Protein backbone atom coordinates (compact mmCIF):
# COMPACT_ATOMS: atom_id res chain seq x y z
CA UNK A 1 0.00 0.00 0.00
CA UNK A 2 1.27 3.46 -0.84
CA UNK A 3 1.64 5.84 2.03
CA UNK A 4 0.85 9.54 1.52
CA UNK A 5 4.02 10.63 3.34
CA UNK A 6 6.25 8.49 1.14
CA UNK A 7 7.04 11.01 -1.59
CA UNK A 8 10.27 10.81 -3.57
CA UNK A 9 10.87 14.54 -3.24
CA UNK A 10 10.61 14.41 0.56
CA UNK A 11 12.98 11.43 0.69
CA UNK A 12 15.56 13.12 -1.52
CA UNK A 13 15.39 16.39 0.46
CA UNK A 14 15.83 14.54 3.75
CA UNK A 15 18.80 12.57 2.42
CA UNK A 16 20.43 15.71 1.03
CA UNK A 17 20.28 17.27 4.50
CA UNK A 18 22.76 14.65 5.69
CA UNK A 19 25.23 13.92 2.84
CA UNK A 20 27.21 11.36 4.86
CA UNK A 21 24.20 9.04 4.92
CA UNK A 22 21.06 8.35 6.92
CA UNK A 23 19.79 5.14 8.49
CA UNK A 24 16.43 3.88 7.23
CA UNK A 25 14.66 4.22 10.58
CA UNK A 26 15.97 7.79 11.03
CA UNK A 27 14.62 8.72 7.59
CA UNK A 28 11.31 7.09 8.53
CA UNK A 29 11.12 9.20 11.72
CA UNK A 30 11.85 12.40 9.78
CA UNK A 31 9.23 11.63 7.13
CA UNK A 32 6.53 10.45 9.54
CA UNK A 33 6.82 13.02 12.32
CA UNK A 34 3.99 12.19 14.72
CA UNK A 35 2.23 9.87 12.25
CA UNK A 36 3.05 6.27 13.24
CA UNK A 37 1.33 4.61 10.28
CA UNK A 38 4.45 4.94 8.09
CA UNK A 39 6.68 1.90 8.65
CA UNK A 40 10.42 1.44 8.25
CA UNK A 41 9.67 -1.43 5.87
CA UNK A 42 7.74 0.92 3.54
CA UNK A 43 10.60 3.44 3.57
CA UNK A 44 13.14 0.66 2.90
CA UNK A 45 11.10 -0.62 -0.06
CA UNK A 46 10.94 2.89 -1.55
CA UNK A 47 14.69 3.33 -1.03
CA UNK A 48 15.34 0.04 -2.83
CA UNK A 49 13.31 1.30 -5.80
CA UNK A 50 15.25 4.57 -5.82
CA UNK A 51 18.48 2.55 -5.65
CA UNK A 52 17.43 0.57 -8.74
CA UNK A 53 16.80 3.86 -10.55
CA UNK A 54 20.31 5.03 -9.57
CA UNK A 55 19.11 7.96 -7.46
CA UNK A 56 20.28 6.76 -4.02
CA UNK A 57 23.01 4.43 -2.84
CA UNK A 58 23.91 2.43 0.25
CA UNK A 59 26.78 3.86 2.26
CA UNK A 60 28.68 2.43 5.26
CA UNK A 61 26.89 2.89 8.58
CA UNK A 62 27.67 2.41 12.25
CA UNK A 63 24.81 -0.08 12.57
CA UNK A 64 25.31 -3.77 11.81
CA UNK A 65 21.59 -4.31 11.14
CA UNK A 66 20.54 -1.33 9.07
CA UNK A 67 21.70 0.36 5.89
CA UNK A 68 22.61 3.99 5.61
CA UNK A 69 21.45 5.71 2.45
CA UNK A 70 22.70 8.77 0.59
CA UNK A 71 21.81 10.61 -2.59
CA UNK A 72 23.84 9.37 -5.53
CA UNK A 73 25.12 12.45 -7.30
CA UNK A 74 25.42 12.18 -11.08
CA UNK A 75 28.87 12.19 -12.60
CA UNK A 76 29.95 15.52 -14.11
CA UNK A 77 29.18 15.86 -17.80
CA UNK A 78 32.25 16.66 -19.91
CA UNK A 79 31.74 19.61 -22.26
CA UNK A 80 34.37 20.61 -24.82
CA UNK A 81 35.25 24.21 -25.73
CA UNK A 82 32.75 25.21 -28.39
CA UNK A 83 29.82 23.22 -26.96
CA UNK A 84 27.56 23.87 -23.95
CA UNK A 85 25.69 21.93 -21.29
CA UNK A 86 22.03 21.53 -22.20
CA UNK A 87 18.86 19.87 -20.91
CA UNK A 88 15.77 18.56 -22.65
CA UNK A 89 12.57 20.13 -21.32
CA UNK A 90 10.56 17.17 -22.63
CA UNK A 91 12.35 14.08 -21.21
CA UNK A 92 14.92 15.56 -18.81
CA UNK A 93 18.04 14.34 -20.66
CA UNK A 94 21.19 16.32 -19.79
CA UNK A 95 24.42 16.44 -21.71
CA UNK A 96 26.76 18.27 -24.03
CA UNK A 97 25.32 19.94 -27.11
CA UNK A 98 28.01 18.01 -29.00
CA UNK A 99 25.82 14.88 -28.66
CA UNK A 100 22.70 16.54 -30.04
CA UNK A 101 21.49 16.23 -33.62
CA UNK A 102 20.99 19.48 -35.52
CA UNK A 103 17.72 19.87 -37.42
CA UNK A 104 18.21 22.41 -40.20
CA UNK A 105 15.18 24.34 -41.30
CA UNK A 106 14.65 26.84 -44.07
CA UNK A 107 16.06 29.82 -42.18
CA UNK A 108 17.52 28.43 -38.94
CA UNK A 109 18.70 25.29 -37.16
CA UNK A 110 17.35 23.66 -34.01
CA UNK A 111 19.31 21.41 -31.68
CA UNK A 112 17.36 18.26 -30.87
CA UNK A 113 17.44 15.82 -27.98
CA UNK A 114 19.40 12.61 -28.67
CA UNK A 115 17.17 10.66 -26.25
CA UNK A 116 13.61 11.56 -27.30
CA UNK A 117 14.35 13.32 -30.63
CA UNK A 118 12.29 16.35 -29.68
CA UNK A 119 13.42 19.94 -30.10
CA UNK A 120 12.83 21.03 -26.50
CA UNK A 121 16.41 21.78 -25.43
CA UNK A 122 17.22 24.72 -23.22
CA UNK A 123 19.75 27.00 -24.87
CA UNK A 124 22.27 26.63 -22.07
CA UNK A 125 22.25 25.61 -18.43
CA UNK A 126 24.84 26.22 -15.75
CA UNK A 127 26.78 23.47 -13.99
CA UNK A 128 24.60 23.74 -10.86
CA UNK A 129 21.27 23.36 -12.66
Amino acid sequence: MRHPLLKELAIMEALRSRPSGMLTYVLRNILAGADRSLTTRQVHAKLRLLECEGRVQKVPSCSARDHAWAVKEPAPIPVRDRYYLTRCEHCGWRGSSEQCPVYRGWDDADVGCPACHQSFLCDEIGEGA
Side-chain angles (χ1 to χ4, degrees), residues 11 15 24 27 43-51 56 69:
I11 290 172
L15 289 176
T24 309
L27 179 60
V43 173
H44 188 263
K46 187 65 171 184
L47 287 166
R48 292 294 303 259
L49 288 173
L50 292 172
E51 181 184 31
V56 300
W69 299 88

Side-chain angles (χ1 to χ4, degrees), residues 75-94:
I77 299 169
V79 179
R80 294 192 314 171
D81 287 340
R82 61 183 227 173
Y83 298 99
Y84 55 91
L85 187 62
T86 188
R87 173 179 50 87
C88 179
E89 295 173 353
H90 183 257
C91 73
W93 174 88
R94 291 173 47 124

Side-chain angles (χ1 to χ4, degrees), residues 100-117:
C100 301
V102 177
Y103 302 116
R104 302 215 181 271
W106 178 255
D107 59 349
D108 64 351
D110 287 329
V111 178
C113 175
C116 69
H117 305 288

Side-chain angles (χ1 to χ4, degrees), residues 12-67:
M12 300 302 280
E13 285 178 10
L15 289 176
R16 281 193 181 97
S17 71
R18 192 174 297 168
S20 61
M22 187 178 294
L23 295 171
T24 309
Y25 78 91
V26 174
L27 179 60
R28 178 244 165 263
N29 290 344
I30 290 171
L31 294 173
D35 181 9
R36 297 293 174 202
S37 65
L38 179 63
T39 65
T40 303
R41 181 176 291 198
Q42 290 171 319
V43 173
H44 188 263
K46 187 65 171 184
L47 287 166
R48 292 294 303 259
L49 288 173
L50 292 172
E51 181 184 31
C52 289
E53 293 174 5
R55 298 177 65 194
V56 300
Q57 63 186 357
K58 293 178 189 173
V59 294
S61 75
C62 58
S63 170
R65 293 190 60 219
D66 205 356
H67 301 290

